[in-house]
Amino acid sequence: GSKILKWSIFVHNVLLSVFSLYLFVVLGCDLAEKWITHGTEVMLCDSGYTSSQGRVVWWYYLFYLSKYYEFV
């Protein structure tokens, strides 16, 4: 019983860590692409919110859901 529980918790934590790393890399690549394309000013001071559209919002949302799941 105890070994199965420990193994299950270990696998669960590894999967969450791998997913977080994946989201970190993908989001970092998307943000770097936007930074190269649009520059620093648009990334930091975008009044039109063009940097908060498309895939970036999807990655943010998935990251948020994963953190909510970890918290609960």
Side-chain angles (χ1 to χ4, degrees):
S2 179
K3 282 187 175 188
I4 293 173
L5 181 60
K6 285 181 181 180
W7 179 250
S8 298
I9 292 171
F10 174 75
V11 170
H12 178 261
N13 287 336
V14 166
L15 290 174
L16 288 175
S17 296
V18 168
F19 184 68
S20 291
L21 178 63
Y22 172 75
L23 287 177
F24 174 77
V25 170
V26 170
L27 186 56
C29 289
D30 275 356
L31 290 175
E33 179 185 329
K34 285 187 177 280
W35 179 56
I36 291 168
T37 305
H38 301 292
T40 304
E41 184 178 352
V42 170
M43 291 297 294
L44 299 177
C45 307
D46 184 13
S47 62
Y49 301 110
T50 57
S51 63
S52 299
Q53 295 176 356
R55 290 184 313 206
V56 172
V57 175
W58 173 246
W59 298 126
Y60 280 143
Y61 182 66
L62 285 179
F63 188 74
Y64 169 80
L65 289 179
S66 72
K67 296 305 150 190
Y68 180 78
Y69 171 75
E70 287 181 36
F71 180 71
V72 173

